[in-house]
Amino acid sequence: MQTTSDRIAWLGGKPGACTSSGPGEGVARRLVLLGAPGVGKGTQAELLGERLGACHLSTGDIFRAAKTMPESERSPALAAALDFMRRGELVPDATVLQVVRERVHCLRCPGGFLMDGFPRTVAQAEAFDEWLASQRLRLDAVVNYELPLENVVARISGRRVCSRCKAVYHLQTRPPKKPGVCDQCGGELYQREDDRPESVRVRMAAYEKSTAPLAGYYGARGLLVPVSAEGTPEEVFGRTLSSLEARR
Ligand code: AMP
């Protein structure tokens, strides 16, 4: 299958130039990925995206990309979101929903999508369900990555991201070939502002309060697929694929 993903369409909210001939492996392909910050959702989304031919759509990436946009190009919603994000707090539901709805073309893509970081509250999940129904779309599954808290903290502190293509590395488990430099595009690697210890504490508290209840929400709708996030990215990926296959 030939698929070209145009991430600018998602990050910048502009019509995309993706080509997708539909699902790659025939397993579930309109997925939401849940799990605490640092659990490895972004890495799994990249691996799943390559295998399933679906785009990795991260709301956090939209907000991070907005930081480097000229101020005049930021929509009011994006500008308002940045202050919340810098403090590690959740962006208000109405703002996030507006930003997601502006990217309707990505959600309607025949190749499907891998939602990472959205929905983040039950109110967002309800609004997302309603919106999907209005578009005659439905979720295939919600993968919930589970990991003990101490492992989560260790993962976050070692995470580094490419400033150019947003590829994700880890100093211990997924180091780049050359320190500080992206293997894929040569961009400079950096630590996200919200991966610093003071922000991580706020994010974990926000996760427990607002996001953890989503497992119950999707469990009640028969969509939840729990997957242990322990081990290497490849092991977790293998487990994810088998769990999705088992649902078919
Ligand atoms: P992430 O990369 O998913 O951890 O997101 C980074 C930050 O962006 C979060 O700490 C929030 O400030 C903000 N954010 C991303 N997605 C959402 C969302 N669905 N709801 C509220 N805030 C969000």
Side-chain angles (χ1 to χ4, degrees), residues 37-38 41 58-61 63-64 81-82 84-93 96-97 100 116-121 124 159 192 194-195 203 206:
K41 296 188 298 292
S58 150
T59 40
D61 280 352
F63 299 134
R64 276 183 288 281
L82 292 188
F84 291 93
M85 189 192 165
R86 279 196 196 100
R87 293 193 296 268
E89 292 170 23
L90 289 186
V91 174
D93 290 338
V96 180
L97 287 163
V100 170
D116 165 11
F118 175 87
R120 203 93 148 211
T121 63
Q124 289 180 17
R159 179 159 62 185
R192 283 167 34 176
D194 58 347
D195 278 351
R203 287 167 69 202

PDB file of all heavy atoms in Angstrom, residues 37-38 41 58-61 63-64 81-82 84-93 96-97 100 116-121 124 159 192 194-195 203 206, ligand 1:
ATOM      1  N   PRO A  37       0.716  10.320  30.534  1.00  0.00           N
ATOM      2  CA  PRO A  37       1.802  10.961  29.798  1.00  0.00           C
ATOM      3  C   PRO A  37       3.073  10.117  29.951  1.00  0.00           C
ATOM      4  O   PRO A  37       3.353   9.621  31.038  1.00  0.00           O
ATOM      5  CB  PRO A  37       1.991  12.299  30.511  1.00  0.00           C
ATOM      6  CG  PRO A  37       0.762  12.528  31.302  1.00  0.00           C
ATOM      7  CD  PRO A  37       0.147  11.197  31.586  1.00  0.00           C
ATOM      8  N   GLY A  38       3.800   9.927  28.879  1.00  0.00           N
ATOM      9  CA  GLY A  38       5.064   9.204  28.953  1.00  0.00           C
ATOM     10  C   GLY A  38       4.939   7.699  28.829  1.00  0.00           C
ATOM     11  O   GLY A  38       5.923   6.968  28.855  1.00  0.00           O
ATOM     12  N   LYS A  41       2.565   6.383  24.067  1.00  0.00           N
ATOM     13  CA  LYS A  41       1.494   6.451  23.059  1.00  0.00           C
ATOM     14  C   LYS A  41       2.009   6.973  21.723  1.00  0.00           C
ATOM     15  O   LYS A  41       1.644   6.473  20.674  1.00  0.00           O
ATOM     16  CB  LYS A  41       0.351   7.376  23.511  1.00  0.00           C
ATOM     17  CG  LYS A  41      -0.389   6.934  24.729  1.00  0.00           C
ATOM     18  CD  LYS A  41      -1.615   7.800  24.972  1.00  0.00           C
ATOM     19  CE  LYS A  41      -1.292   9.261  25.215  1.00  0.00           C
ATOM     20  NZ  LYS A  41      -0.591   9.522  26.482  1.00  0.00           N
ATOM     21  N   SER A  58      -2.065  13.946  16.955  1.00  0.00           N
ATOM     22  CA  SER A  58      -1.845  14.295  18.358  1.00  0.00           C
ATOM     23  C   SER A  58      -2.228  15.753  18.592  1.00  0.00           C
ATOM     24  O   SER A  58      -1.712  16.647  17.911  1.00  0.00           O
ATOM     25  CB  SER A  58      -0.369  14.063  18.696  1.00  0.00           C
ATOM     26  OG  SER A  58       0.060  14.953  19.702  1.00  0.00           O
ATOM     27  N   THR A  59      -3.118  15.981  19.551  1.00  0.00           N
ATOM     28  CA  THR A  59      -3.502  17.365  19.847  1.00  0.00           C
ATOM     29  C   THR A  59      -2.330  18.108  20.505  1.00  0.00           C
ATOM     30  O   THR A  59      -2.128  19.295  20.260  1.00  0.00           O
ATOM     31  CB  THR A  59      -4.750  17.416  20.757  1.00  0.00           C
ATOM     32  OG1 THR A  59      -4.648  16.393  21.741  1.00  0.00           O
ATOM     33  CG2 THR A  59      -6.016  17.233  19.973  1.00  0.00           C
ATOM     34  N   GLY A  60      -1.524  17.384  21.312  1.00  0.00           N
ATOM     35  CA  GLY A  60      -0.346  18.018  21.916  1.00  0.00           C
ATOM     36  C   GLY A  60       0.596  18.539  20.834  1.00  0.00           C
ATOM     37  O   GLY A  60       1.173  19.626  20.963  1.00  0.00           O
ATOM     38  N   ASP A  61       0.761  17.786  19.741  1.00  0.00           N
ATOM     39  CA  ASP A  61       1.640  18.236  18.643  1.00  0.00           C
ATOM     40  C   ASP A  61       1.115  19.523  18.008  1.00  0.00           C
ATOM     41  O   ASP A  61       1.890  20.380  17.599  1.00  0.00           O
ATOM     42  CB  ASP A  61       1.739  17.156  17.546  1.00  0.00           C
ATOM     43  CG  ASP A  61       2.723  16.047  17.918  1.00  0.00           C
ATOM     44  OD1 ASP A  61       3.424  16.194  18.934  1.00  0.00           O
ATOM     45  OD2 ASP A  61       2.765  15.035  17.194  1.00  0.00           O
ATOM     46  N   PHE A  63      -0.527  21.902  19.523  1.00  0.00           N
ATOM     47  CA  PHE A  63      -0.220  23.029  20.410  1.00  0.00           C
ATOM     48  C   PHE A  63       1.277  23.336  20.419  1.00  0.00           C
ATOM     49  O   PHE A  63       1.676  24.488  20.467  1.00  0.00           O
ATOM     50  CB  PHE A  63      -0.752  22.758  21.825  1.00  0.00           C
ATOM     51  CG  PHE A  63      -2.245  22.589  21.871  1.00  0.00           C
ATOM     52  CD1 PHE A  63      -2.832  21.555  22.580  1.00  0.00           C
ATOM     53  CD2 PHE A  63      -3.067  23.469  21.186  1.00  0.00           C
ATOM     54  CE1 PHE A  63      -4.210  21.399  22.610  1.00  0.00           C
ATOM     55  CE2 PHE A  63      -4.446  23.327  21.211  1.00  0.00           C
ATOM     56  CZ  PHE A  63      -5.019  22.288  21.926  1.00  0.00           C
ATOM     57  N   ARG A  64       2.100  22.286  20.359  1.00  0.00           N
ATOM     58  CA  ARG A  64       3.554  22.537  20.331  1.00  0.00           C
ATOM     59  C   ARG A  64       3.950  23.239  19.029  1.00  0.00           C
ATOM     60  O   ARG A  64       4.765  24.152  19.018  1.00  0.00           O
ATOM     61  CB  ARG A  64       4.340  21.225  20.491  1.00  0.00           C
ATOM     62  CG  ARG A  64       4.514  20.832  21.951  1.00  0.00           C
ATOM     63  CD  ARG A  64       5.346  19.579  22.087  1.00  0.00           C
ATOM     64  NE  ARG A  64       4.628  18.385  21.665  1.00  0.00           N
ATOM     65  CZ  ARG A  64       3.733  17.749  22.401  1.00  0.00           C
ATOM     66  NH1 ARG A  64       3.456  18.171  23.614  1.00  0.00           N
ATOM     67  NH2 ARG A  64       3.097  16.687  21.945  1.00  0.00           N
ATOM     68  N   ALA A  81      -4.645  28.474  24.107  1.00  0.00           N
ATOM     69  CA  ALA A  81      -4.238  27.141  24.564  1.00  0.00           C
ATOM     70  C   ALA A  81      -2.800  27.121  25.084  1.00  0.00           C
ATOM     71  O   ALA A  81      -2.470  26.370  26.003  1.00  0.00           O
ATOM     72  CB  ALA A  81      -4.383  26.140  23.412  1.00  0.00           C
ATOM     73  N   LEU A  82      -1.950  27.964  24.517  1.00  0.00           N
ATOM     74  CA  LEU A  82      -0.522  27.866  24.826  1.00  0.00           C
ATOM     75  C   LEU A  82      -0.193  28.147  26.294  1.00  0.00           C
ATOM     76  O   LEU A  82       0.672  27.486  26.866  1.00  0.00           O
ATOM     77  CB  LEU A  82       0.286  28.806  23.923  1.00  0.00           C
ATOM     78  CG  LEU A  82       0.288  28.384  22.456  1.00  0.00           C
ATOM     79  CD1 LEU A  82       1.249  29.245  21.667  1.00  0.00           C
ATOM     80  CD2 LEU A  82       0.666  26.914  22.319  1.00  0.00           C
ATOM     81  N   PHE A  84      -2.039  27.520  28.925  1.00  0.00           N
ATOM     82  CA  PHE A  84      -2.402  26.339  29.714  1.00  0.00           C
ATOM     83  C   PHE A  84      -1.342  25.262  29.540  1.00  0.00           C
ATOM     84  O   PHE A  84      -0.907  24.630  30.491  1.00  0.00           O
ATOM     85  CB  PHE A  84      -3.761  25.779  29.269  1.00  0.00           C
ATOM     86  CG  PHE A  84      -4.910  26.674  29.616  1.00  0.00           C
ATOM     87  CD1 PHE A  84      -5.383  27.601  28.711  1.00  0.00           C
ATOM     88  CD2 PHE A  84      -5.506  26.588  30.862  1.00  0.00           C
ATOM     89  CE1 PHE A  84      -6.445  28.439  29.036  1.00  0.00           C
ATOM     90  CE2 PHE A  84      -6.568  27.417  31.201  1.00  0.00           C
ATOM     91  CZ  PHE A  84      -7.035  28.347  30.282  1.00  0.00           C
ATOM     92  N   MET A  85      -0.952  25.069  28.303  1.00  0.00           N
ATOM     93  CA  MET A  85      -0.024  23.994  27.995  1.00  0.00           C
ATOM     94  C   MET A  85       1.323  24.203  28.681  1.00  0.00           C
ATOM     95  O   MET A  85       1.900  23.270  29.229  1.00  0.00           O
ATOM     96  CB  MET A  85       0.159  23.938  26.486  1.00  0.00           C
ATOM     97  CG  MET A  85       0.918  22.731  26.075  1.00  0.00           C
ATOM     98  SD  MET A  85       1.379  22.912  24.380  1.00  0.00           S
ATOM     99  CE  MET A  85       2.592  21.632  24.302  1.00  0.00           C
ATOM    100  N   ARG A  86       1.822  25.415  28.658  1.00  0.00           N
ATOM    101  CA  ARG A  86       3.129  25.710  29.275  1.00  0.00           C
ATOM    102  C   ARG A  86       3.148  25.345  30.751  1.00  0.00           C
ATOM    103  O   ARG A  86       4.148  24.904  31.284  1.00  0.00           O
ATOM    104  CB  ARG A  86       3.455  27.201  29.138  1.00  0.00           C
ATOM    105  CG  ARG A  86       3.993  27.514  27.784  1.00  0.00           C
ATOM    106  CD  ARG A  86       4.684  28.867  27.743  1.00  0.00           C
ATOM    107  NE  ARG A  86       4.814  29.247  26.361  1.00  0.00           N
ATOM    108  CZ  ARG A  86       4.016  30.095  25.726  1.00  0.00           C
ATOM    109  NH1 ARG A  86       3.038  30.680  26.371  1.00  0.00           N
ATOM    110  NH2 ARG A  86       4.185  30.360  24.459  1.00  0.00           N
ATOM    111  N   ARG A  87       1.998  25.524  31.409  1.00  0.00           N
ATOM    112  CA  ARG A  87       1.931  25.212  32.841  1.00  0.00           C
ATOM    113  C   ARG A  87       1.666  23.727  33.072  1.00  0.00           C
ATOM    114  O   ARG A  87       1.608  23.281  34.206  1.00  0.00           O
ATOM    115  CB  ARG A  87       0.809  26.032  33.505  1.00  0.00           C
ATOM    116  CG  ARG A  87       1.081  27.518  33.535  1.00  0.00           C
ATOM    117  CD  ARG A  87       0.111  28.219  34.467  1.00  0.00           C
ATOM    118  NE  ARG A  87      -1.273  28.108  34.003  1.00  0.00           N
ATOM    119  CZ  ARG A  87      -1.867  29.017  33.225  1.00  0.00           C
ATOM    120  NH1 ARG A  87      -1.216  30.081  32.834  1.00  0.00           N
ATOM    121  NH2 ARG A  87      -3.122  28.850  32.843  1.00  0.00           N
ATOM    122  N   GLY A  88       1.465  22.967  32.013  1.00  0.00           N
ATOM    123  CA  GLY A  88       1.188  21.536  32.158  1.00  0.00           C
ATOM    124  C   GLY A  88      -0.289  21.268  32.410  1.00  0.00           C
ATOM    125  O   GLY A  88      -0.691  20.139  32.650  1.00  0.00           O
ATOM    126  N   GLU A  89      -1.118  22.323  32.371  1.00  0.00           N
ATOM    127  CA  GLU A  89      -2.559  22.141  32.628  1.00  0.00           C
ATOM    128  C   GLU A  89      -3.274  21.731  31.357  1.00  0.00           C
ATOM    129  O   GLU A  89      -2.785  22.002  30.253  1.00  0.00           O
ATOM    130  CB  GLU A  89      -3.168  23.463  33.111  1.00  0.00           C
ATOM    131  CG  GLU A  89      -2.686  23.879  34.481  1.00  0.00           C
ATOM    132  CD  GLU A  89      -3.124  25.295  34.828  1.00  0.00           C
ATOM    133  OE1 GLU A  89      -4.114  25.794  34.252  1.00  0.00           O
ATOM    134  OE2 GLU A  89      -2.455  25.901  35.675  1.00  0.00           O
ATOM    135  N   LEU A  90      -4.462  21.129  31.532  1.00  0.00           N
ATOM    136  CA  LEU A  90      -5.258  20.791  30.352  1.00  0.00           C
ATOM    137  C   LEU A  90      -5.825  22.065  29.737  1.00  0.00           C
ATOM    138  O   LEU A  90      -6.225  22.988  30.446  1.00  0.00           O
ATOM    139  CB  LEU A  90      -6.417  19.869  30.732  1.00  0.00           C
ATOM    140  CG  LEU A  90      -6.058  18.434  31.115  1.00  0.00           C
ATOM    141  CD1 LEU A  90      -7.324  17.620  31.325  1.00  0.00           C
ATOM    142  CD2 LEU A  90      -5.187  17.779  30.052  1.00  0.00           C
ATOM    143  N   VAL A  91      -5.864  22.093  28.435  1.00  0.00           N
ATOM    144  CA  VAL A  91      -6.480  23.191  27.695  1.00  0.00           C
ATOM    145  C   VAL A  91      -8.006  23.009  27.840  1.00  0.00           C
ATOM    146  O   VAL A  91      -8.490  21.872  27.843  1.00  0.00           O
ATOM    147  CB  VAL A  91      -6.048  23.107  26.208  1.00  0.00           C
ATOM    148  CG1 VAL A  91      -6.762  24.131  25.359  1.00  0.00           C
ATOM    149  CG2 VAL A  91      -4.528  23.269  26.113  1.00  0.00           C
ATOM    150  N   PRO A  92      -8.791  24.088  27.990  1.00  0.00           N
ATOM    151  CA  PRO A  92     -10.241  23.926  28.182  1.00  0.00           C
ATOM    152  C   PRO A  92     -10.888  23.128  27.038  1.00  0.00           C
ATOM    153  O   PRO A  92     -10.482  23.236  25.874  1.00  0.00           O
ATOM    154  CB  PRO A  92     -10.757  25.373  28.195  1.00  0.00           C
ATOM    155  CG  PRO A  92      -9.577  26.192  28.598  1.00  0.00           C
ATOM    156  CD  PRO A  92      -8.372  25.495  28.052  1.00  0.00           C
ATOM    157  N   ASP A  93     -11.907  22.335  27.416  1.00  0.00           N
ATOM    158  CA  ASP A  93     -12.556  21.433  26.451  1.00  0.00           C
ATOM    159  C   ASP A  93     -13.016  22.156  25.183  1.00  0.00           C
ATOM    160  O   ASP A  93     -12.793  21.677  24.070  1.00  0.00           O
ATOM    161  CB  ASP A  93     -13.785  20.766  27.098  1.00  0.00           C
ATOM    162  CG  ASP A  93     -13.387  19.760  28.170  1.00  0.00           C
ATOM    163  OD1 ASP A  93     -12.243  19.273  28.139  1.00  0.00           O
ATOM    164  OD2 ASP A  93     -14.224  19.475  29.037  1.00  0.00           O
ATOM    165  N   VAL A  96     -10.142  22.844  22.783  1.00  0.00           N
ATOM    166  CA  VAL A  96      -9.602  21.651  22.119  1.00  0.00           C
ATOM    167  C   VAL A  96     -10.587  21.146  21.062  1.00  0.00           C
ATOM    168  O   VAL A  96     -10.197  20.795  19.939  1.00  0.00           O
ATOM    169  CB  VAL A  96      -9.342  20.523  23.144  1.00  0.00           C
ATOM    170  CG1 VAL A  96      -8.781  19.306  22.468  1.00  0.00           C
ATOM    171  CG2 VAL A  96      -8.400  21.001  24.214  1.00  0.00           C
ATOM    172  N   LEU A  97     -11.866  21.154  21.417  1.00  0.00           N
ATOM    173  CA  LEU A  97     -12.873  20.649  20.469  1.00  0.00           C
ATOM    174  C   LEU A  97     -12.891  21.499  19.209  1.00  0.00           C
ATOM    175  O   LEU A  97     -12.997  20.975  18.090  1.00  0.00           O
ATOM    176  CB  LEU A  97     -14.257  20.628  21.128  1.00  0.00           C
ATOM    177  CG  LEU A  97     -14.410  19.516  22.172  1.00  0.00           C
ATOM    178  CD1 LEU A  97     -15.593  19.776  23.084  1.00  0.00           C
ATOM    179  CD2 LEU A  97     -14.557  18.163  21.472  1.00  0.00           C
ATOM    180  N   VAL A 100      -9.904  20.561  17.088  1.00  0.00           N
ATOM    181  CA  VAL A 100     -10.072  19.250  16.427  1.00  0.00           C
ATOM    182  C   VAL A 100     -11.076  19.358  15.272  1.00  0.00           C
ATOM    183  O   VAL A 100     -10.844  18.852  14.175  1.00  0.00           O
ATOM    184  CB  VAL A 100     -10.509  18.168  17.451  1.00  0.00           C
ATOM    185  CG1 VAL A 100     -10.921  16.875  16.749  1.00  0.00           C
ATOM    186  CG2 VAL A 100      -9.375  17.887  18.430  1.00  0.00           C
ATOM    187  N   ASP A 116      -4.149  10.596  19.526  1.00  0.00           N
ATOM    188  CA  ASP A 116      -3.218  10.526  20.655  1.00  0.00           C
ATOM    189  C   ASP A 116      -3.362  11.815  21.469  1.00  0.00           C
ATOM    190  O   ASP A 116      -3.076  12.893  20.966  1.00  0.00           O
ATOM    191  CB  ASP A 116      -1.803  10.368  20.049  1.00  0.00           C
ATOM    192  CG  ASP A 116      -0.689  10.625  21.035  1.00  0.00           C
ATOM    193  OD1 ASP A 116      -0.956  10.734  22.235  1.00  0.00           O
ATOM    194  OD2 ASP A 116       0.464  10.718  20.574  1.00  0.00           O
ATOM    195  N   GLY A 117      -3.854  11.696  22.682  1.00  0.00           N
ATOM    196  CA  GLY A 117      -3.992  12.880  23.539  1.00  0.00           C
ATOM    197  C   GLY A 117      -5.365  13.512  23.453  1.00  0.00           C
ATOM    198  O   GLY A 117      -5.620  14.523  24.106  1.00  0.00           O
ATOM    199  N   PHE A 118      -6.254  12.949  22.692  1.00  0.00           N
ATOM    200  CA  PHE A 118      -7.634  13.419  22.581  1.00  0.00           C
ATOM    201  C   PHE A 118      -8.521  12.203  22.331  1.00  0.00           C
ATOM    202  O   PHE A 118      -8.143  11.367  21.508  1.00  0.00           O
ATOM    203  CB  PHE A 118      -7.779  14.406  21.413  1.00  0.00           C
ATOM    204  CG  PHE A 118      -9.214  14.827  21.178  1.00  0.00           C
ATOM    205  CD1 PHE A 118      -9.756  15.892  21.868  1.00  0.00           C
ATOM    206  CD2 PHE A 118     -10.024  14.122  20.289  1.00  0.00           C
ATOM    207  CE1 PHE A 118     -11.079  16.261  21.666  1.00  0.00           C
ATOM    208  CE2 PHE A 118     -11.347  14.482  20.085  1.00  0.00           C
ATOM    209  CZ  PHE A 118     -11.863  15.565  20.774  1.00  0.00           C
ATOM    210  N   PRO A 119      -9.686  12.093  22.978  1.00  0.00           N
ATOM    211  CA  PRO A 119     -10.193  12.940  24.046  1.00  0.00           C
ATOM    212  C   PRO A 119      -9.413  12.737  25.337  1.00  0.00           C
ATOM    213  O   PRO A 119      -8.817  11.689  25.565  1.00  0.00           O
ATOM    214  CB  PRO A 119     -11.634  12.474  24.218  1.00  0.00           C
ATOM    215  CG  PRO A 119     -11.808  11.234  23.441  1.00  0.00           C
ATOM    216  CD  PRO A 119     -10.614  11.009  22.602  1.00  0.00           C
ATOM    217  N   ARG A 120      -9.476  13.764  26.178  1.00  0.00           N
ATOM    218  CA  ARG A 120      -8.705  13.762  27.421  1.00  0.00           C
ATOM    219  C   ARG A 120      -9.627  13.895  28.622  1.00  0.00           C
ATOM    220  O   ARG A 120      -9.177  13.792  29.750  1.00  0.00           O
ATOM    221  CB  ARG A 120      -7.793  14.968  27.351  1.00  0.00           C
ATOM    222  CG  ARG A 120      -6.558  14.955  28.169  1.00  0.00           C
ATOM    223  CD  ARG A 120      -5.368  14.470  27.529  1.00  0.00           C
ATOM    224  NE  ARG A 120      -4.142  15.068  27.951  1.00  0.00           N
ATOM    225  CZ  ARG A 120      -3.117  15.195  27.116  1.00  0.00           C
ATOM    226  NH1 ARG A 120      -3.222  14.850  25.866  1.00  0.00           N
ATOM    227  NH2 ARG A 120      -1.987  15.658  27.555  1.00  0.00           N
ATOM    228  N   THR A 121     -10.872  14.174  28.398  1.00  0.00           N
ATOM    229  CA  THR A 121     -11.860  14.249  29.489  1.00  0.00           C
ATOM    230  C   THR A 121     -13.131  13.563  28.981  1.00  0.00           C
ATOM    231  O   THR A 121     -13.316  13.396  27.760  1.00  0.00           O
ATOM    232  CB  THR A 121     -12.224  15.711  29.816  1.00  0.00           C
ATOM    233  OG1 THR A 121     -12.844  16.294  28.657  1.00  0.00           O
ATOM    234  CG2 THR A 121     -11.012  16.541  30.197  1.00  0.00           C
ATOM    235  N   GLN A 124     -14.986  15.750  26.588  1.00  0.00           N
ATOM    236  CA  GLN A 124     -14.431  15.704  25.223  1.00  0.00           C
ATOM    237  C   GLN A 124     -14.868  14.423  24.516  1.00  0.00           C
ATOM    238  O   GLN A 124     -15.192  14.435  23.321  1.00  0.00           O
ATOM    239  CB  GLN A 124     -12.901  15.772  25.252  1.00  0.00           C
ATOM    240  CG  GLN A 124     -12.344  17.123  25.652  1.00  0.00           C
ATOM    241  CD  GLN A 124     -10.816  17.159  25.669  1.00  0.00           C
ATOM    242  OE1 GLN A 124     -10.151  16.298  25.102  1.00  0.00           O
ATOM    243  NE2 GLN A 124     -10.260  18.152  26.322  1.00  0.00           N
ATOM    244  N   ARG A 159      12.850  11.310  27.807  1.00  0.00           N
ATOM    245  CA  ARG A 159      12.303  11.523  26.457  1.00  0.00           C
ATOM    246  C   ARG A 159      12.917  12.752  25.785  1.00  0.00           C
ATOM    247  O   ARG A 159      13.094  13.797  26.398  1.00  0.00           O
ATOM    248  CB  ARG A 159      10.782  11.698  26.560  1.00  0.00           C
ATOM    249  CG  ARG A 159      10.134  11.951  25.219  1.00  0.00           C
ATOM    250  CD  ARG A 159       8.683  11.625  25.211  1.00  0.00           C
ATOM    251  NE  ARG A 159       7.894  12.423  26.133  1.00  0.00           N
ATOM    252  CZ  ARG A 159       6.597  12.210  26.344  1.00  0.00           C
ATOM    253  NH1 ARG A 159       5.977  11.235  25.716  1.00  0.00           N
ATOM    254  NH2 ARG A 159       5.923  12.964  27.183  1.00  0.00           N
ATOM    255  N   ARG A 192      10.971  18.424  25.892  1.00  0.00           N
ATOM    256  CA  ARG A 192       9.764  19.247  25.887  1.00  0.00           C
ATOM    257  C   ARG A 192       9.647  20.012  27.203  1.00  0.00           C
ATOM    258  O   ARG A 192       9.939  19.469  28.260  1.00  0.00           O
ATOM    259  CB  ARG A 192       8.534  18.355  25.724  1.00  0.00           C
ATOM    260  CG  ARG A 192       8.318  17.891  24.326  1.00  0.00           C
ATOM    261  CD  ARG A 192       7.305  16.792  24.213  1.00  0.00           C
ATOM    262  NE  ARG A 192       6.201  16.855  25.166  1.00  0.00           N
ATOM    263  CZ  ARG A 192       5.170  16.020  25.170  1.00  0.00           C
ATOM    264  NH1 ARG A 192       5.097  15.058  24.261  1.00  0.00           N
ATOM    265  NH2 ARG A 192       4.213  16.109  26.045  1.00  0.00           N
ATOM    266  N   ASP A 194       7.060  20.698  28.803  1.00  0.00           N
ATOM    267  CA  ASP A 194       6.137  20.065  29.745  1.00  0.00           C
ATOM    268  C   ASP A 194       6.611  18.677  30.190  1.00  0.00           C
ATOM    269  O   ASP A 194       5.910  17.974  30.894  1.00  0.00           O
ATOM    270  CB  ASP A 194       4.709  20.020  29.178  1.00  0.00           C
ATOM    271  CG  ASP A 194       4.617  19.290  27.862  1.00  0.00           C
ATOM    272  OD1 ASP A 194       5.675  19.017  27.255  1.00  0.00           O
ATOM    273  OD2 ASP A 194       3.499  18.968  27.430  1.00  0.00           O
ATOM    274  N   ASP A 195       7.824  18.269  29.780  1.00  0.00           N
ATOM    275  CA  ASP A 195       8.421  17.025  30.303  1.00  0.00           C
ATOM    276  C   ASP A 195       9.348  17.321  31.479  1.00  0.00           C
ATOM    277  O   ASP A 195       9.962  16.416  32.036  1.00  0.00           O
ATOM    278  CB  ASP A 195       9.232  16.302  29.212  1.00  0.00           C
ATOM    279  CG  ASP A 195       8.345  15.464  28.310  1.00  0.00           C
ATOM    280  OD1 ASP A 195       7.148  15.309  28.628  1.00  0.00           O
ATOM    281  OD2 ASP A 195       8.842  14.963  27.295  1.00  0.00           O
ATOM    282  N   ARG A 203       0.852  17.406  35.247  1.00  0.00           N
ATOM    283  CA  ARG A 203       0.221  16.595  34.197  1.00  0.00           C
ATOM    284  C   ARG A 203      -0.294  15.271  34.748  1.00  0.00           C
ATOM    285  O   ARG A 203      -1.352  14.794  34.342  1.00  0.00           O
ATOM    286  CB  ARG A 203       1.222  16.326  33.068  1.00  0.00           C
ATOM    287  CG  ARG A 203       1.475  17.566  32.233  1.00  0.00           C
ATOM    288  CD  ARG A 203       2.665  17.379  31.337  1.00  0.00           C
ATOM    289  NE  ARG A 203       2.427  16.420  30.296  1.00  0.00           N
ATOM    290  CZ  ARG A 203       3.390  15.759  29.651  1.00  0.00           C
ATOM    291  NH1 ARG A 203       4.640  15.918  29.988  1.00  0.00           N
ATOM    292  NH2 ARG A 203       3.085  14.924  28.696  1.00  0.00           N
ATOM    293  N   ALA A 206      -3.481  15.922  36.556  1.00  0.00           N
ATOM    294  CA  ALA A 206      -4.571  16.182  35.592  1.00  0.00           C
ATOM    295  C   ALA A 206      -5.022  14.871  34.956  1.00  0.00           C
ATOM    296  O   ALA A 206      -6.215  14.642  34.732  1.00  0.00           O
ATOM    297  CB  ALA A 206      -4.095  17.156  34.515  1.00  0.00           C
TER     298      ALA A 206
HETATM  299  P1  AMP B   1       0.474  15.720  25.112  1.00  0.00           P
HETATM  300  O1  AMP B   1       1.578  15.837  24.122  1.00  0.00           O
HETATM  301  O2  AMP B   1      -0.670  14.910  24.601  1.00  0.00           O
HETATM  302  O3  AMP B   1       0.955  15.255  26.456  1.00  0.00           O
HETATM  303  O4  AMP B   1      -0.118  17.203  25.306  1.00  0.00           O
HETATM  304  C1  AMP B   1       0.686  18.253  25.780  1.00  0.00           C
HETATM  305  C2  AMP B   1      -0.191  19.327  26.413  1.00  0.00           C
HETATM  306  O5  AMP B   1      -1.122  19.853  25.439  1.00  0.00           O
HETATM  307  C3  AMP B   1      -1.068  18.863  27.571  1.00  0.00           C
HETATM  308  O6  AMP B   1      -0.365  18.854  28.807  1.00  0.00           O
HETATM  309  C4  AMP B   1      -2.181  19.893  27.541  1.00  0.00           C
HETATM  310  O7  AMP B   1      -1.750  21.113  28.073  1.00  0.00           O
HETATM  311  C5  AMP B   1      -2.386  20.105  26.046  1.00  0.00           C
HETATM  312  N1  AMP B   1      -3.382  19.158  25.470  1.00  0.00           N
HETATM  313  C6  AMP B   1      -3.167  18.268  24.467  1.00  0.00           C
HETATM  314  N2  AMP B   1      -4.298  17.589  24.169  1.00  0.00           N
HETATM  315  C7  AMP B   1      -5.250  18.054  25.006  1.00  0.00           C
HETATM  316  C8  AMP B   1      -6.635  17.747  25.203  1.00  0.00           C
HETATM  317  N3  AMP B   1      -7.254  16.802  24.471  1.00  0.00           N
HETATM  318  N4  AMP B   1      -7.306  18.422  26.167  1.00  0.00           N
HETATM  319  C9  AMP B   1      -6.709  19.366  26.921  1.00  0.00           C
HETATM  320  N5  AMP B   1      -5.406  19.697  26.789  1.00  0.00           N
HETATM  321  C10 AMP B   1      -4.674  19.066  25.855  1.00  0.00           C
END
